[in-house]
Amino acid sequence: MSGGANGNLRLAEWCYQYIKENGHKTVSEMKDYINEQKMVYPGDIHREKKGWASTTSQQLTNVIRCSPLFEVVGKTSIIYATGTDNAINLYGIVPIEKAVDTIAGKKHLIRKRWPQVMKDEMKRRGMI
């Protein structure tokens, strides 16, 4: 199973841009952004309303965990209504040059498809 689904590549792209513009974020903040803002298509007559599909925290966590574009930069705590205090990860982005250097150092690329920001850098370097 190489390559990854297009939807997951799109999620990685959206999260990368969101963190780049707004700073470190938690998975729940990224999920809320994607489900409430990014998956709404204003001006598209075929998709004016929010799509029926939404992103789950588990899907987003797996995309971020497997992508070389993201890294854990710290922890924050969240207090639930029951009074329990949980530490959750804050995610930041890895500079695109460093992410592509990591991939370029591998002998064999496992994936065939990458998020658009990585494709652009790989094309600039002549890797693809």
Side-chain angles (χ1 to χ4, degrees):
M1 180 165 97
S2 67
N6 281 338
N8 288 342
L9 297 177
R10 207 172 310 124
L11 279 177
E13 175 76 23
W14 289 345
C15 289
Y16 185 84
Q17 296 301 331
Y18 182 57
I19 293 174
K20 187 175 181 181
E21 293 168 5
N22 299 300
H24 308 315
K25 296 293 177 192
T26 64
V27 170
S28 60
E29 291 170 330
M30 288 184 273
K31 179 185 64 105
D32 291 342
Y33 164 72
I34 289 169
N35 288 339
E36 300 301 325
Q37 295 177 19
K38 195 63 181 175
M39 291 184 103
V40 177
Y41 301 94
D44 188 342
I45 60 171
H46 301 290
R47 298 187 289 184
E48 271 185 2
K49 295 183 181 176
K50 183 181 177 301
W52 58 270
S54 62
T55 302
T56 63
S57 295
Q58 291 85 359
Q59 177 188 9
L60 198 54
T61 300
N62 286 330
V63 168
I64 291 171
R65 180 182 58 84
C66 294
S67 177
L69 293 173
F70 304 99
E71 65 184 354
V72 176
V73 294
K75 295 213 180 264
T76 187
S77 62
I78 185 169
I79 300 173
Y80 293 105
T82 59
T84 57
D85 185 13
N86 290 336
I88 54 175
N89 291 332
L90 276 175
Y91 291 95
I93 56 173
V94 174
I96 193 68
E97 295 83 12
K98 184 178 174 186
V100 173
D101 285 343
T102 302
I103 293 167
K106 298 191 185 253
K107 188 174 182 180
H108 175 68
L109 295 178
I110 295 172
R111 299 183 75 167
K112 294 180 182 176
R113 296 183 298 264
W114 300 95
Q116 191 61 44
V117 290
M118 291 189 74
K119 275 190 204 174
D120 293 342
E121 179 65 19
M122 292 168 119
K123 284 180 184 176
R124 189 185 70 77
R125 292 183 182 197
M127 292 174 63
I128 57 173

